[in-house]
Amino acid sequence: MASLFERYRPSKWSEVVGQDKLVAKVDALRPRGLGGRAWWIAGPSGAGKTTCGRLIAREVAAEHAIVELDASEVTPADVRDWQRQFRGKPLGSNGWAILLNEAHGMRKDTIRALLVMLEALPDYVVVIFTTTAEGQESLFDDQIDAHPLLSRCIELPLARRGLAEAFAKRAHEIATVEGINGRSPADYLRLAKDSRNSMRAMLQRIEAGWALTGEVAE
């Protein structure tokens, strides 16, 4: 059975918690189309980067036309293959979507290849990068200068403030639905803060029995 985190991962924008500004920015750009663009989503671990990336991807492409990879695995040859695929829309889908997680792990030669691809991105193609804030900083050193890549992307930074309250409320709701809630709202707030506002970490603790025991969040 899938973990609580995966089972309750938002499947639509209205279910995204604690990221009102990010959702509002996507809403504002939607009338002009989400495709034909590259998106850069950076934020804390477990706060919704991949979730938001998948939601953008699904607005452009059907599931079979979405490629999701760890960015460290991508080679220039992969990028050239994508460019060839992008010459036409995939059967049974309105477009293509490429979601590259852990973007801070990209190779220098891959970044160069991506720069070329992003210069002429068809309007039915979307490319989404996700990374942690710390990972993003590592991309701007003397060895790998990713400024040209970032300049080709629409930045969607995840909010950091207010997450504890929003995540505590959502985790409390999930535990209640699952029939494993035995804690007060204040306990969930402490859990959120001790989990560094990672919904993934919170739900792992709840799944392991935290909400039914007297365990103190560390």
Side-chain angles (χ1 to χ4, degrees), residues 123-169:
D123 61 7
Y124 53 84
V125 177
V126 65
V127 180
I128 307 123
F129 302 92
T130 75
T131 183
T132 60
E134 295 78 12
Q136 178 173 314
E137 289 301 317
S138 71
L139 280 168
F140 302 112
D141 58 25
D142 294 334
Q143 300 300 313
I144 302 179
D145 183 359
H147 283 93
L149 177 62
L150 196 59
S151 71
R152 288 165 171 78
C153 300
I154 296 174
E155 293 188 61
L156 294 174
L158 266 67
R160 291 176 175 270
R161 295 183 178 180
L163 291 184
E165 292 78 4
F167 283 8
K169 179 180 178 181

Side-chain angles (χ1 to χ4, degrees), residues 102-124:
E102 309 298 335
H104 52 274
M106 287 187 293
R107 294 165 26 175
K108 190 173 184 178
D109 55 353
T110 298
I111 291 176
R112 286 198 297 267
L114 285 166
L115 290 176
V116 175
M117 185 180 80
L118 297 181
E119 280 293 331
L121 206 61
D123 61 7
Y124 53 84

Side-chain angles (χ1 to χ4, degrees), residues 4-121:
L4 286 180
F5 181 73
E6 288 300 333
R7 283 161 55 198
Y8 287 92
R9 185 190 289 272
S11 59
K12 51 189 177 182
W13 288 108
S14 60
E15 296 173 348
V16 173
V17 174
Q19 301 298 337
D20 293 349
K21 288 185 178 180
L22 183 152
V23 175
K25 187 170 184 177
V26 174
D27 287 344
L29 292 170
R30 185 175 290 106
R32 290 186 286 166
L34 302 186
R37 306 171 184 269
W39 303 78
W40 187 274
I41 306 175
S45 178
K49 299 184 299 298
T50 298
T51 293
C52 292
R54 290 178 180 176
L55 290 175
I56 291 173
R58 289 170 186 163
E59 291 202 38
V60 176
E63 288 294 333
H64 71 275
I66 297 174
V67 176
E68 182 173 347
L69 294 169
D70 186 305
S72 65
E73 300 174 358
V74 178
T75 67
D78 293 323
V79 178
R80 290 191 291 271
D81 285 343
W82 294 336
Q83 287 178 287
R84 285 190 287 270
Q85 289 178 317
F86 293 167
R87 291 171 185 166
K89 294 182 180 180
L91 292 175
S93 178
N94 292 326
W96 297 96
I98 305 294
L99 174 56
L100 302 180
N101 294 314
E102 309 298 335
H104 52 274
M106 287 187 293
R107 294 165 26 175
K108 190 173 184 178
D109 55 353
T110 298
I111 291 176
R112 286 198 297 267
L114 285 166
L115 290 176
V116 175
M117 185 180 80
L118 297 181
E119 280 293 331
L121 206 61

